[in-house]
Amino acid sequence: MTNGVIPAGALSVVNFHPTWGDKETNKASMLRYIDEAHAAGVRMIVFPEMALTGYVSSSDPESAAYRMAVSQAETISSPITRELADKAAATGMWVIFGTSERIPGDAEHAYNSAFAASPDGKVISYQKIAPVEGS
């Protein structure tokens, strides 16, 4: 990036259909997309909202969707997040992806978050105002 401008061809936005509730399969797809983008000279790749888990929104704590989002929630230092961050560092790319995020001390809820892994492997997250559960 020069002067805060991303050159043409250096940004990739990925639209794929994640396998709902299967983080390992989704992570494997994301790692392949990152490799392809890196080979094409991409410097920043952006995956969809909830790309790691598959999209979910529910206000019913008894629903499968709600339980999946909470049970599969990640942190900025969890193993899958670290694997994606290590790939960002290995390729020198920014990798931005959506996932549900654990709320410290709260096993009943999760944030709908965007994680950003920098080219040096550091990860930050942005939590949406509304949690995963919708209302």
Side-chain angles (χ1 to χ4, degrees):
M1 287 190 278
T2 308
N3 298 326
V5 176
I6 299 172
L11 171 66
S12 177
V13 178
V14 180
N15 187 13
F16 79 108
H17 185 68
T19 302
W20 195 82
D22 189 345
K23 293 189 298 186
E24 287 297 325
T25 295
N26 297 332
K27 176 196 70 178
S29 294
M30 293 165 70
L31 290 169
R32 283 191 302 275
Y33 281 116
I34 293 166
D35 284 338
E36 290 174 20
H38 176 64
V42 169
R43 305 285 295 141
M44 179 183 286
I45 187 167
V46 181
F47 290 94
E49 179 178 25
M50 304 293 282
L52 193 56
T53 56
Y55 187 80
V56 61
S57 178
S58 173
S59 297
D60 178 5
E62 302 304 316
S63 73
Y66 186 103
R67 290 191 313 269
M68 185 279 287
V70 173
S71 70
Q72 294 201 20
E74 294 292 324
T75 69
I76 60 170
S77 59
S78 61
I80 285 179
T81 302
R82 286 300 338 139
E83 193 171 346
L84 290 162
D86 290 346
K87 179 63 86 170
T91 58
M93 293 172 62
W94 281 92
V95 176
I96 295 128
F97 63 96
T99 189
S100 57
E101 181 181 13
R102 283 188 218 143
I103 300 171
D106 184 348
E108 303 296 318
H109 304 91
Y111 289 118
N112 178 349
S113 295
F115 285 17
S118 70
D120 61 5
K122 293 181 181 159
V123 181
I124 60 169
S125 68
Y126 168 78
Q127 299 89 23
K128 291 179 77 172
I129 292 172
V132 164
E133 302 84 41
S135 62

